[in-house]
Amino acid sequence: MVAHNPLFHGRWTIKRFQATVINDVWPEVFFFTLVAVMVVLVTKYTSVNLGIQTTLLTVLGTVLGLVISFRTSSAYERFQDGRKMWTNIGVVSRNLAQMIWIHVPAERKQGSVLEATIEKKTMINLIQAFSVAVKHFLRDEPGAFYEDLYPLICFLPRYANSHLPHEKLPLWHTHEGFEEPPAPPLHHRERSETPAEIAGAEEKSDSKSTQSWPKRGRHSRRSTFDPEAALPRVQSEQPLKPARNPPRTKISDFIPLFRFFQWIGRVLVCRSRTDVEQKAKRKRLRKRGHGIDLVESNVPFEIILVLSNYSAYLMQNDLVRPALATGIMNNVTSLQDTLANLERICNTPLPFAYQAHLRMSLWLYLLFLPFQLYKSFDWITIPGTAFASFLLLGFLEIGQEIENPFNYDLNDLDLDHFCLSLQRELHQITAHHNPAPSEWMFSHLNQPFAPADRRGADELLQINHDYRHPDNRSEAGLQSIRRTLLGSWREVDLTTRHIQ
């Protein structure tokens, strides 16, 4: 999401124009401006008068304005709904992590405290993995083999039967034509890295260029920004794709005419492809040794299944009370509902017939606009037509750009920022060791009865049942405590009121 002015923040490049709609509408604006120039020159220097009455301008202008306003409003509503859903993911994830970390006991009849802590931290890592999986899911990046996702879920079960390595669970199917290599032995596939391998990975991490994250300058932190370095280092049988892989900026993004030549090139390449190449492609899209097409798993949903299974495990082993178990299940269900709503926003665009009819109507309106403006504006018809076309076409393009706010455009939601913020918050939750209140409450730094009584909690605890108000030693016990609390209220009430 654009949090600052991208045109003048940092080093200026032509890519900054992608935060606006100028690179999308300028060819159309240029075309309609040329039409206005033609109308003015022909009418000015020939005997032909191309000016017409403004009746059509008056009738259609209001209708088109209302329709374009509806188009932009509906797109912005989808943008806002997407932001609300990601806020809901953050709130539910934090609530669920707190319930697991604080309320699930670490001391049990069976198992050590370390085992229980590993169990709880693992499930909280899966909560973090859910948001990352949703990010890739909305960006149409299927599978689990990404640098920011795979380390968080690589330990999940891979096979329905351990003795049949070809029976992979849906989560671990490969995608996009990858051929699955022979499954390595279990002890090689799931072993931890040695210290030498970890050192080599650190050296490689330091030397690699973070291509997936945009750079802002040689000495800025963004130039060395690599948040995946905080994730576990594990081996993968498939090459991991970058956490952020925006499409490369091409000249056709600024000059749309080149898109036509790209389309012609793709058509020629497709026609020249031989039957052998087509058969090889179909073969790559099938599992080795089996005639079943690769399935495309819903990774966020798979993580929800694991979280639901964990809540059932807690209830079956009486590790949480029924009320808390209900809260955990409600939060897991809320994550599933949010995923469904995000999928609805992403996969339900405005009907094509509506978009096509609106654009054709606007083109016809702008095409006849200079003919109607000439009688009243003369030479000003040219800049007037350019401004009107830029205004109306700009709103139309803005609606189309923010309709799906989950991609890599500068005006889209910053999903990477949301995921990294949630990662920091979840680690902040697990940084607390859940001490008993008595370990930190009765300190000399704690003055619970201030400002009426500024003695520390350790000194008050020594008094015990013989508590007396500092200004009234004759009265002890509960009555003196009540007098102290009432005095604190009076002093706070008078001190914090600003008298004009």
Side-chain angles (χ1 to χ4, degrees):
M1 184 191 308
V2 177
H4 47 73
N5 188 344
L7 287 177
F8 306 104
H9 184 84
R11 187 170 61 90
W12 191 90
T13 61
I14 195 173
K15 294 181 180 180
R16 300 298 177 89
F17 277 109
Q18 290 182 325
T20 68
V21 294
I22 295 177
N23 59 320
D24 294 318
V25 303
W26 76 262
E28 297 169 280
V29 173
F30 183 70
F31 171 75
F32 292 117
T33 304
L34 287 181
V35 174
V37 171
M38 182 270 297
V39 171
V40 172
L41 294 179
V42 169
T43 307
K44 203 76 175 176
Y45 297 107
T46 65
S47 59
V48 180
N49 185 3
L50 297 180
I52 59 177
Q53 297 296 326
T54 60
T55 306
L56 186 65
L57 178 68
T58 306
V59 173
L60 296 182
T62 305
V63 177
L64 274 177
L66 292 175
V67 175
I68 293 176
S69 176
F70 167 75
R71 173 73 177 92
T72 308
S73 299
S74 62
Y76 185 73
E77 183 179 357
R78 294 162 62 88
F79 184 90
Q80 285 290 85
D81 287 343
R83 182 64 182 92
K84 292 176 183 177
M85 293 300 105
W86 272 97
T87 301
N88 190 47
I89 288 180
V91 172
V92 173
S93 297
R94 289 190 292 270
N95 292 340
L96 188 57
Q98 291 177 46
M99 290 180 180
I100 293 175
W101 186 251
I102 297 176
H103 296 283
V104 175
E107 298 180 357
R108 306 175 185 177
K109 297 180 180 179
Q110 297 180 352
S112 63
V113 175
L114 179 59
E115 291 178 353
T117 304
I118 293 175
E119 171 195 305
K120 295 193 294 182
K121 188 64 171 67
T122 300
M123 302 312 298
I124 293 177
N125 288 343
L126 285 180
I127 297 174
Q128 173 188 340
F130 174 80
S131 63
V132 178
V134 170
K135 176 189 72 172
H136 290 293
F137 178 77
L138 296 177
R139 288 175 172 174
D140 196 19
E141 298 171 344
F145 294 96
Y146 297 92
E147 292 178 352
D148 58 343
L149 178 60
Y150 180 79
L152 297 173
I153 62 174
C154 59
F155 50 84
L156 294 179
R158 295 171 180 262
Y159 305 99
N161 298 288
S162 58
H163 61 282
L164 296 176
H166 61 273
E167 291 190 356
K168 273 194 172 184
L169 293 174
L171 176 63
W172 299 110
H173 275 285
T174 52
H175 303 271
E176 298 183 1
F178 278 129
E179 290 206 13
E180 298 182 14
L186 189 63
H187 65 280
H188 289 297
R189 187 174 62 251
E190 298 183 355
R191 67 180 180 88
S192 303
E193 290 183 335
T194 63
E197 290 172 340
I198 293 177
E202 291 178 350
E203 183 178 355
K204 182 179 179 180
S205 176
D206 294 337
S207 61
K208 74 174 183 178
S209 61
T210 55
Q211 300 177 357
S212 59
W213 295 93
K215 298 182 179 181
R216 293 186 178 178
R218 179 185 298 179
H219 303 291
S220 66
R221 182 173 180 268
R222 175 70 74 177
S223 61
T224 58
F225 185 54
D226 186 17
E228 286 72 46
L231 297 176
R233 294 190 180 94
V234 292
Q235 294 179 336
S236 172
E237 68 273 15
Q238 293 289 349
L240 297 182
K241 302 175 187 177
R244 190 177 187 273
N245 190 23
R248 293 183 178 180
T249 302
K250 303 177 181 178
I251 191 173
S252 59
D253 296 330
F254 302 97
I255 306 178
L257 182 61
F258 286 173
R259 300 174 188 174
F260 174 74
F261 297 107
Q262 290 180 351
W263 175 77
I264 293 178
R266 286 195 299 267
V267 172
L268 294 177
V269 170
C270 291
R271 289 184 177 180
S272 62
R273 180 178 296 161
T274 62
D275 294 338
V276 177
E277 292 174 342
Q278 293 179 358
K279 292 180 180 179
K281 181 181 179 181
R282 286 195 297 267
K283 184 178 180 181
R284 286 195 302 269
L285 293 177
R286 294 180 179 273
K287 292 171 56 178
R288 177 177 296 181
H290 303 274
I292 305 174
D293 288 335
L294 290 174
V295 297
E296 189 171 304
S297 62
N298 188 333
V299 180
F301 180 68
E302 298 271 355
I303 297 175
I304 287 177
L305 291 177
V306 177
L307 294 174
S308 299
N309 181 65
Y310 180 66
S311 64
Y313 165 79
L314 294 177
M315 288 184 288
Q316 292 170 1
N317 292 273
D318 295 329
L319 296 176
V320 293
R321 298 181 182 274
L324 182 63
T326 302
I328 293 177
M329 278 306 305
N330 289 340
N331 281 281
V332 174
T333 304
S334 181
L335 288 178
Q336 188 167 354
D337 292 343
T338 304
L339 175 63
N341 288 326
L342 287 171
E343 186 179 3
R344 171 183 57 83
I345 296 173
C346 185
N347 296 333
T348 312
L350 203 65
F352 174 77
Y354 181 89
Q355 299 185 53
H357 187 74
L358 176 58
R359 188 169 292 275
M360 287 187 293
S361 301
L362 181 58
W363 284 347
L364 291 175
Y365 174 81
L366 294 175
L367 185 63
F368 288 104
L369 182 62
F371 296 93
Q372 302 175 73
L373 293 180
Y374 178 76
K375 286 187 176 181
S376 301
F377 293 97
D378 201 56
W379 285 101
I380 305 179
T381 300
I382 299 174
T385 302
F387 175 74
S389 58
F390 176 77
L391 185 68
L392 297 177
L393 291 169
F395 281 118
L396 198 62
E397 290 295 335
I398 289 172
Q400 185 172 348
E401 182 171 341
I402 67 176
E403 185 178 30
N404 183 2
F406 307 123
N407 292 320
Y408 291 101
D409 294 334
L410 292 177
N411 291 301
D412 288 336
L413 296 172
D414 194 349
L415 305 187
D416 300 283
H417 168 73
F418 297 156
C419 294
L420 294 178
S421 297
L422 182 59
Q423 178 183 359
R424 292 191 294 269
E425 292 166 351
L426 294 181
H427 278 266
Q428 182 178 357
I429 291 174
T430 57
H432 291 271
H433 61 285
N434 304 330
S438 59
E439 296 183 19
W440 48 264
M441 187 180 301
F442 303 108
S443 168
H444 68 281
L445 301 175
N446 180 25
Q447 300 177 3
F449 297 155
D453 188 350
R454 298 187 180 276
R455 289 177 288 184
D458 57 341
E459 186 178 352
L460 296 174
L461 191 62
Q462 294 176 0
I463 300 174
N464 204 355
H465 299 291
D466 193 30
Y467 176 82
R468 297 176 184 272
H469 190 276
D471 298 333
N472 187 3
R473 298 287 182 173
S474 60
E475 190 176 48
L478 183 59
Q479 294 297 329
S480 182
I481 296 176
R482 291 174 178 173
R483 182 184 296 273
T484 302
L485 297 177
L486 182 60
S488 295
W489 167 76
R490 288 175 178 171
E491 187 171 348
V492 170
D493 187 67
L494 293 175
T495 303
T496 56
R497 289 185 182 275
H498 180 69
I499 302 177
Q500 300 291 343

